[in-house]
Amino acid sequence: MIESMTGFGSASRQLDLGGGVYATVAVECRSVNSRFLDLNIRSPEECRSAEMSLRELVTKQLGRGKVEFRINVHRETEASTQSTDLLNSDSLKSLKALEAAVLKEMPNAGNMRMGEILRWPGVINEKNVDDELWRKLTLEAATEALTALKGSRQGEGKALLEILMERVNGIRAIVEQLKPLIPQIIAAHQAKLTERLTEILTGIDAQGQAVAKNDVSERIKQEVILYGVRIDVAEELERLKTHLDAVESALKKGGPVGKRLDFLMQELNREANTLGSKSVSQESSNASIEVKLLIEQMREQVQNLE
């Protein structure tokens, strides 16, 4: 499946810290567009040991996107747990003395807030949990969040696939409508060219002005060259069809197709511009404008694909 670079995922795991205290490791990850894989992980001290493994995991599963992981640890206590059982008196006394010493040197520093006190290492009695357990639980939650992120990106990719195919079919329809008109367009232009050449050969232009004979040969050459360059758009239409086939093939193949499709958008746009510059009829001019509009819509969506 093709994937968008935009997505979101979350997951959590709970850890028993003893004494009626529980810690919840909550992981949120989100991604947006980026030319390359840009990974940023924000985690508390308890979960730092999982960062390297998480980076390896993300690198294997995602190719592009600005990806951010936010990992938080929330501590909760059971309702039946007594506050006196939770607090470490010695740690509180040490923290109080430390705060007093700081305020003596820096009176304007301000007192610590309740949340800061409770988060201070050692203030709440917890059983000793080794780093490996923190790493394991953090990585489990992060892996589940990453799976949800990929699911979100794939869902967005499916929607983008439908939008892009709709635009591809729209361009195909324009090309098919224009193809049968090419002989008529050529015939009409030939008639105009014949009229111009007749004017030149008779020595009188459309405004009734005399044309110097020594200019006749040069003007005929210019008209013929202009005719040869401008009239035939069949090649451009065929190349448009070829590029559309390549776009459709890439979308059906799936996987990381964003960069390839971005290149194909440039090729499609080049052919559409040439079609417009060669236009000798209102029909082909309108077709060029409509095709360029659809290509621009596709290009905007392609920027979202991995």
Side-chain angles (χ1 to χ4, degrees):
M1 295 178 64
I2 65 171
E3 289 188 18
S4 166
M5 285 186 283
T6 303
F8 174 81
S10 64
S12 63
R13 289 290 186 277
Q14 194 174 66
L15 176 63
D16 184 359
L17 298 178
V21 182
Y22 294 88
T24 299
V25 179
V27 180
E28 289 187 353
C29 57
R30 64 189 74 240
S31 66
V32 295
N33 301 355
S34 177
R35 292 183 62 191
F36 309 101
L37 180 60
D38 180 8
L39 176 59
N40 182 31
I41 301 174
R42 298 182 181 182
S43 63
E45 187 64 34
E46 299 95 323
C47 305
R48 293 275 166 80
S49 58
E51 286 192 7
M52 183 175 295
S53 298
L54 179 55
R55 286 184 180 277
E56 292 176 358
L57 183 65
V58 173
T59 302
K60 289 178 180 178
Q61 297 200 34
L62 302 180
R64 293 173 66 195
K66 185 176 182 180
V67 184
E68 181 180 37
F69 275 80
R70 291 188 178 183
I71 305 173
N72 294 297
V73 175
H74 307 285
R75 286 175 170 80
E76 300 174 354
T77 60
E78 291 181 340
S80 60
T81 304
Q82 298 295 320
S83 59
T84 52
D85 296 332
L86 295 176
L87 298 178
N88 186 314
S89 299
D90 293 337
S91 295
L92 275 175
K93 290 177 182 178
S94 299
L95 181 58
K96 184 178 180 181
L98 179 62
E99 182 185 34
V102 171
L103 288 174
K104 183 178 180 181
E105 296 296 328
M106 304 174 65
N108 296 326
N111 294 319
M112 294 182 69
R113 296 178 180 274
M114 180 66 70
E116 295 172 331
I117 295 172
L118 294 177
R119 286 194 297 271
W120 194 268
V123 168
I124 295 179
N125 288 315
E126 299 175 354
K127 70 179 181 182
N128 187 25
V129 180
D130 60 21
D131 286 345
E132 178 57 27
L133 184 55
W134 280 110
R135 191 193 75 83
K136 179 177 178 293
L137 290 179
T138 302
L139 198 57
E140 284 182 4
T143 300
E144 185 178 331
L146 178 59
T147 300
L149 173 70
K150 281 187 66 67
S152 175
R153 285 167 55 123
Q154 288 172 354
E156 181 72 15
K158 183 179 179 181
L160 291 177
L161 171 61
E162 294 176 358
I163 293 173
L164 290 171
M165 284 305 304
E166 182 181 339
R167 302 302 186 273
V168 166
N169 292 331
I171 297 175
R172 287 191 191 279
I174 293 172
V175 170
E176 291 305 313
Q177 289 171 6
L178 186 59
K179 271 185 177 181
L181 299 179
I182 292 178
Q184 302 173 26
I185 294 171
I186 293 175
H189 191 68
Q190 283 176 334
K192 291 181 181 179
L193 182 59
T194 300
E195 183 180 345
R196 291 176 188 172
L197 293 177
T198 301
E199 292 170 356
I200 294 170
L201 291 172
T202 57
I204 304 295
D205 62 17
Q207 286 74 39
Q209 301 294 323
V211 180
K213 290 184 177 180
N214 58 352
D215 293 337
V216 171
S217 178
E218 186 59 32
R219 290 189 62 177
I220 290 175
K221 288 180 181 179
Q222 291 175 359
E223 291 293 340
V224 171
I225 291 172
L226 183 62
Y227 173 83
V229 170
R230 296 189 65 185
I231 196 60
D232 192 2
V233 295
E235 188 175 340
E236 281 68 30
L237 295 180
E238 192 59 35
R239 281 201 292 263
L240 273 173
K241 182 178 180 300
T242 300
H243 294 325
L244 290 172
D245 289 342
V247 171
E248 188 170 353
S249 175
L251 290 173
K252 288 180 178 179
K253 182 179 179 181
V257 296
K259 290 184 178 180
R260 175 168 176 75
L261 289 177
D262 189 49
F263 169 75
L264 288 171
M265 292 305 108
Q266 297 177 37
E267 295 300 304
L268 283 169
N269 200 53
R270 182 178 293 110
E271 300 306 330
N273 285 333
T274 305
L275 178 63
S277 66
K278 283 188 170 187
S279 175
V280 292
S281 71
Q282 189 62 44
E283 292 85 353
S284 57
S285 294
N286 291 341
S288 173
I289 292 171
E290 290 299 321
V291 167
K292 284 195 284 188
L293 178 61
L294 290 172
I295 292 171
E296 179 59 24
Q297 292 173 358
M298 291 174 67
R299 190 192 65 80
E300 292 176 358
Q301 301 301 331
V302 163
Q303 302 305 310
N304 296 319
L305 291 178
E306 181 179 6

